[in-house]
């Protein structure tokens, strides 16, 4: 049996099956609701119930306080419905969001590549094509790992029948340890997608800056290749940060793109290059490389940031000091379970992003 949920203020209606959460139903019908952790601890998906009967589910008391429960608030990632329901959600409608529905896929591992001493490239063949926007991510299930794990898609949407992931080994991380030490070519995995609101806002004018650190290169790689394939004529500059030369992966790919495309510039930066005598590129942090390249002036650009939280925060500070503002900056923080459920994908420097 299913019930109808009306989502205000956008007026969208979705069908929610018995036992299915409001968030899961919305995503699988191409309706985006704000969310981050997906399991009731961060409060990003909090919505107000206007009408109808809702079961709160396993929401953390810290994410959904007693007074909020009394006011009819629920977490969409935990809440199930017992009747037709109307909810009110904090939704910013983005004209560039395609709203592709989340679906389930079976994938076969076709290749495992050592990109750097700590990052592996995982290539999967899907049982059917996945339609997605460059910059989005998938959730993947791994044997012996409790709960699905999120990884950004590194392949462009033109390669819809496959998945490329960049996976950094996290100390003590069950999922990344399995991928680095146990995953084999030929193995079958289950995944779902696409998820996420990290994508190029094509309707917004301005040249493009991408700043990536570590395995955070995956989303910018997908986005940049997609832009070049589509013939986008804006100036595109990628700043890739790594600790040393060994960790600077896919350098040849981007150097080749820069040679073949007049509107693409590639600037790698090494933060710990003291022992790399052969390195003649930028020495220092990636946000400083961006600041030097643009003379500290970023106005009239759009910036896309992807990587660990310290890199994101440093890049935001540099960009804002160079006259770029919240409306011009989009980001995806790469968080691990060790970062804590209290972390969301927003910087403390921003009211919202």
């Amino acid at each position: 049996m299913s019930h109808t949920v009306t989502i205000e203020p956008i007026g969208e209606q979705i069908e929610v099956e018995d036992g299915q959460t409001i968030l899961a139903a919305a995503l699988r019908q191409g309706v985006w609701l704000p969310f981050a952790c997906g399991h009731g601890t961060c409060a990003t998906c909090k919505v107000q119930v206007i009408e109808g009967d809702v079961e709160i589910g396993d929401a953390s008391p810290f994410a959904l306080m007693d007074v909020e429960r009394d006011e009819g608030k629920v977490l969409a990632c935990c809440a199930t419905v017992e009747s037709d329901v109307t909810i009110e959600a904090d939704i910013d409608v983005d004209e560039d969001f395609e709203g592709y529905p989340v679906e389930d896929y079976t994938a076969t591992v076709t290749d495992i590549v050592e990109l750097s001493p700590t990052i592996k490239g995982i290539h999967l063949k899907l049982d059917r094509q996945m339609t997605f926007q460059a910059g989005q991510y998938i959730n993947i299930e791994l044997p012996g790992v409790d709960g699905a794990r999120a990884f950004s898609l590194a392949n462009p949407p033109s390669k819809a029948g496959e998945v490329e992931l960049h996976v950094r080994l996290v100390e003590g991380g069950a999922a990344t340890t399995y991928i680095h030490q146990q995953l084999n070519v030929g193995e079958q995995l289950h995944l779902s997608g696409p998820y996420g609101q990290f994508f190029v806002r094509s309707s917004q004018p301005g040249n493009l800056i991408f700043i990536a650190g570590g395995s955070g290169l995956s989303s910018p790689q997908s986005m940049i290749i997609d832009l070049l394939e589509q013939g986008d004529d804006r100036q595109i500059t990628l700043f890739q940060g790594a600790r040393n030369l060994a960790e600077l992966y896919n350098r040849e790919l981007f150097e080749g793109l820069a040679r073949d495309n007049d509107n693409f510039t590639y600037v790698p930066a090494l933060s710990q290059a003291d022992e790399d005598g052969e390195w003649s590129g930028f020495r220092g942090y990636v946000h400083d490389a961006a600041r030097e390249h643009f003379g500290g002036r970023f106005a009239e650009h759009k910036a896309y940031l992807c990587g660990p939280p310290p890199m994101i925060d440093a890049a935001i500070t540099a960009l804002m000091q160079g006259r770029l503002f919240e409306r011009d900056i989009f980001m995806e923080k790469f968080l691990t379970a060790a970062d804590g459920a209290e972390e969301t994908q927003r910087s403390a420097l921003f009211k919202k992003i």
Side-chain angles (χ1 to χ4, degrees):
M1 182 178 178
S2 66
H3 298 286
T4 300
V5 173
T6 302
I7 304 171
E8 300 294 356
I10 60 175
E12 292 276 3
Q13 290 189 327
I14 59 172
E15 295 300 312
V16 183
E17 302 292 334
D18 284 342
Q20 186 179 36
T21 67
I22 295 172
L23 177 63
L27 294 176
R28 290 178 180 274
Q29 292 168 66
V31 178
W32 182 79
L33 293 176
F35 77 100
C37 75
H39 51 260
T41 59
C42 76
T44 303
C45 66
K46 192 177 297 179
V47 299
Q48 176 71 51
V49 178
I50 306 299
E51 265 188 298
D53 300 318
V54 176
E55 171 59 41
I56 289 175
D58 191 23
S60 162
F62 299 101
L64 190 68
M65 296 182 291
D66 289 341
V67 63
E68 293 176 312
R69 297 170 191 238
D70 293 340
E71 293 171 350
K73 290 183 173 62
V74 300
L75 302 185
C77 71
C78 298
T80 57
V81 301
E82 299 174 334
S83 69
D84 290 348
V85 170
T86 299
I87 63 172
E88 186 175 45
D90 183 15
I91 300 176
D92 291 326
V93 179
D94 193 316
E95 64 179 296
D96 292 307
F97 181 51
E98 299 292 344
Y100 298 123
V102 170
E103 297 182 25
D104 297 314
Y105 300 85
T106 299
T108 303
V109 181
T110 58
D111 200 9
I112 301 173
V113 181
E114 185 172 314
L115 297 174
S116 83
T118 61
I119 299 172
K120 286 188 182 294
I122 310 301
H123 295 260
L124 309 169
K125 181 177 176 57
L126 299 175
D127 58 348
R128 64 189 190 284
Q129 292 195 339
M130 177 193 297
T131 304
F132 66 95
Q133 286 182 266
Q136 291 190 294
Y137 67 91
I138 53 99
N139 280 337
I140 192 165
E141 299 174 13
L142 297 164
V145 177
D146 185 22
R149 295 296 194 272
F151 294 101
S152 293
L153 293 158
N155 54 293
S158 61
K159 296 184 177 180
E162 61 187 67
V163 162
E164 178 185 345
L165 308 175
H166 300 167
V167 181
R168 179 177 66 89
L169 179 62
V170 177
E171 185 177 355
T176 64
T177 298
Y178 180 87
I179 289 172
H180 274 251
Q181 298 180 5
Q182 296 176 257
L183 187 67
N184 293 307
V185 170
E187 191 169 337
Q188 284 198 333
L189 301 171
H190 298 287
L191 59 88
S192 62
Y195 297 95
Q197 290 281 295
F198 189 57
F199 50 84
V200 175
R201 272 59 178 182
S202 297
S203 67
Q204 299 185 18
N207 292 327
L208 305 175
I209 296 171
F210 291 89
I211 302 179
S215 60
L217 180 66
S218 51
S219 289
Q221 175 176 305
S222 175
M223 298 158 95
I224 290 167
I225 293 175
D226 184 50
L227 287 165
L228 295 176
E229 287 180 346
Q230 298 303 318
D232 195 297
D233 60 2
R234 287 175 290 182
Q235 291 296 315
I236 303 167
T237 306
L238 168 64
F239 298 92
Q240 180 188 2
R243 288 191 299 274
N244 51 52
L245 196 55
E247 292 290 345
L248 187 71
Y249 72 93
N250 282 4
R251 175 186 173 190
E252 294 81 5
L253 168 66
F254 293 106
E255 288 177 339
L257 290 175
R259 284 193 301 270
D260 296 339
N261 297 273
D262 292 339
N263 63 323
F264 176 62
T265 302
Y266 173 55
V267 182
L270 302 184
S271 61
Q272 299 174 17
D274 293 343
E275 298 180 4
D276 289 318
E278 61 183 286
W279 179 246
S280 60
F282 186 86
R283 294 171 179 261
Y285 291 111
V286 67
H287 64 276
D288 289 326
R291 183 184 280 125
E292 179 182 277
H293 183 84
F294 284 102
R297 295 185 291 275
F298 303 105
E300 300 182 0
H301 285 79
K302 300 297 178 185
Y304 295 84
L305 320 178
C306 196
M311 186 220 79
I312 294 286
D313 291 338
I316 289 173
T317 299
L319 291 168
M320 294 183 75
Q321 288 173 344
R323 306 300 292 172
L324 213 58
F325 302 102
E326 177 181 353
R327 66 180 181 271
D328 305 311
I329 303 174
F330 307 91
M331 65 177 183
E332 182 101 302
K333 284 187 179 181
F334 271 31
L335 302 173
T336 70
D339 292 309
E342 72 277 3
E343 282 274 18
T344 71
Q345 295 182 18
R346 298 182 181 182
S347 168
L349 296 173
F350 283 2
K351 295 179 181 177
K352 63 176 183 175
I353 191 163

